[in-house]
Amino acid sequence: MEELLVKSKIIKSVYFSQEDGRLRICFKNGEERLFEGVPSSEAHAMTVAPSPGHYYLDRIRPRFRRLAA
């Protein structure tokens, strides 16, 4: 997994795997979420969004299958 740089109030770090479309999001409160089938365009769009946290809530969480992290 490749770490993607992100500036967010709630997200600490983001990791993305081009090979299988897995996206791991580490939050500043210590929680982690792992999703599969995420296109690289969506992963990168989240990291450059004005609010990566809102992008996650609006575009990632409802659209992609979450795996047990």
Side-chain angles (χ1 to χ4, degrees), residues 2 8 46-48 57:
E2 168 192 0
S8 171
M46 183 182 76
T47 63
V48 298
L57 292 171

Side-chain angles (χ1 to χ4, degrees), residues 11-64:
I11 298 173
K12 178 181 173 185
S13 54
V14 175
Y15 300 88
F16 180 70
S17 171
Q18 294 269 2
E19 292 79 33
D20 56 13
R22 290 191 177 192
L23 178 69
R24 188 173 79 187
I25 303 169
C26 304
F27 295 90
K28 291 184 177 177
N29 68 0
E31 293 182 22
E32 289 189 14
R33 301 285 187 270
L34 179 63
F35 295 88
E36 71 175 355
V38 180
S40 62
S41 58
E42 286 290 333
H44 290 282
M46 183 182 76
T47 63
V48 298
S51 173
H54 282 125
Y55 194 95
Y56 160 74
L57 292 171
D58 296 340
R59 301 286 307 261
I60 303 294
R61 189 172 70 173
R63 292 177 58 207
F64 301 102

